[in-house]
Amino acid sequence: MSALDERDLAAAADLLSDASRIAVMTGAGISAESGVPTFRGAGGFWRGRSAMDLATPQAFNRDPEDVWKFYRYRIDGLSRVEPNAGHRALVSLERRCERFWLITQNVDGLHHAAGSERVIELHGTLAEVRCRVCAYRCPSSELPDDPVPGCPSCGDLLRPAVVWFGEDLPRAALAEADEAMAHCEVMLVVGTSGLVEPAASFARWARSRGASIVEVNLETTPISSVADVSVFGPAGEVLPRIVG
Ligand code: BV8
Ligand code: ZN
């Protein structure tokens, strides 16, 4: 990892310190230093299969036991991870902003665990499971051990309370994200490969509404082309340096 670019760090810090209305969008990269595998990096595979192939309603309907093994592995893994300095830096940023939105694509609950309050979970959460058909939901910690847990209310199947590929995003989360994009002065985009829609378009939409864009990542992404500043480095190191 090359040393952090001091000029980019200063430019990013200036944009954030001048703003009182800030939206943040995070992806799997902000949790990488907590030991949570990213989606498309080396960790994004389970028993040689891509998370992308398992995170669909079709995969679940075809073989619910297989998909539950994948999600139980991830839910169990979350019991051993903690927020890192990147998550904590966003908590202090939230506390000094007049208006703040934290939009996350992550389902690991680490922003809540770090103390962030205004968290918009665009893709749901692994902290809960829900029924495939009725309104029943419960914490993942209460998940029955059965290989394919049934809904105690209607008898259909329980599934993770995440948004799978091909599924619509929660309307309330999208509405909050729209408000963030319409009103933020700066959007800080952290640790996302910018490949999954509609989240991948948020930075461009915010920019079209007049926001400045700051990106933090290890590599260039499709978001880099709309960023005013891209700081290349690990989020756990960069964020404490730029949020002041
Ligand atoms: C939707 C929850 C309307 C599940 C996730 C064809 C048919 C059907 C749909 C589509 C289609 N074509 C396109 C679509 C839309 C589709 C989509 O975008 N597909 C892509 C892949 C082509 N989107 C959807 O289906 C969405 N719904 O559009 O509804 C609709 C309905 C029907 C038909 C059409 C449209 C739903 C998308 C939600 C999917 N669910 N997660 C689960 O977790 O199991 S998405 C999943 O990817 C995770 O949430 C993850 O967060 C997200 C994005 O990935 P990233 O977070 O960016 O993670 P990634 O590993 O990719 O990158 C990590 C980055 O971090 C890298 O850049 C790396 O460099 C960086 N990094 C690593 N370490 C660090 C770091 N940066 C800083 N510091 C570090 N230390
Ligand atoms: Zn049910």
Side-chain angles (χ1 to χ4, degrees):
M1 177 64 52
S2 64
L4 298 179
D5 183 312
E6 292 301 326
R7 269 172 319 170
D8 290 340
L9 283 165
D14 287 349
L15 281 172
L16 290 168
S17 62
D18 295 346
S20 59
R21 300 193 310 279
I22 297 177
V24 181
M25 183 164 80
T26 61
I30 195 169
S31 298
E33 290 155 85
S34 295
V36 181
T38 60
F39 237 73
R40 286 166 194 79
F45 290 82
W46 174 74
R47 298 185 180 168
R49 299 175 41 225
S50 159
M52 307 274 286
D53 300 334
L54 290 152
T56 69
Q58 293 76 11
F60 183 73
N61 296 334
R62 189 174 49 246
D63 188 345
E65 186 169 346
D66 190 34
V67 172
W68 262 118
K69 280 186 192 141
F70 169 56
Y71 280 93
R72 282 188 198 276
Y73 157 74
R74 288 175 64 195
I75 291 168
D76 295 347
L78 290 184
S79 57
R80 293 186 290 277
V81 298
E82 295 291 326
N84 63 58
H87 297 101
R88 288 192 294 274
L90 296 183
V91 177
S92 56
L93 182 63
E94 176 173 20
R95 288 177 181 158
R96 75 150 178 77
C97 279
E98 194 182 294
R99 295 195 71 185
F100 182 85
W101 301 264
L102 174 48
I103 303 164
T104 187
Q105 299 172 88
N106 299 342
V107 295
D108 58 30
L110 287 178
H111 286 303
H112 285 293
S116 290
E117 310 219 339
R118 184 94 196 262
V119 185
I120 301 161
E121 292 182 318
L122 219 46
H123 296 160
T125 176
L126 287 177
E128 290 193 324
V129 297
R130 67 176 177 84
C131 177
R132 187 171 58 169
V133 296
C134 80
Y136 178 83
R137 288 177 88 94
C138 74
S140 299
S141 53
E142 294 171 18
L143 188 63
D145 283 342
D146 318 61
V148 182
C151 171
S153 168
C154 77
D156 197 85
L157 303 185
L158 292 182
R159 52 160 287 177
V162 297
V163 178
W164 279 328
F165 289 98
E167 293 188 319
D168 285 329
L169 273 58
R171 260 201 302 278
L174 276 177
E176 287 190 87
D178 268 344
E179 183 197 52
M181 287 179 269
H183 298 292
C184 70
E185 296 165 278
V186 178
M187 176 175 273
L188 171 60
V189 182
V190 185
T192 181
S193 56
L195 298 173
V196 174
E197 294 297 352
S201 299
F202 285 5
R204 196 159 15 86
W205 293 345
R207 183 181 181 83
S208 70
R209 317 283 276 270
S212 303
I213 308 298
V214 175
E215 179 186 29
V216 175
N217 201 304
L218 299 180
E219 61 187 9
T220 52
T221 72
I223 291 164
S224 309
S225 59
V226 297
D228 295 271
V229 185
S230 289
V231 185
F232 296 112
E237 249 179 79
V238 171
L239 289 179
R241 295 280 307 271
I242 64 174
V243 301

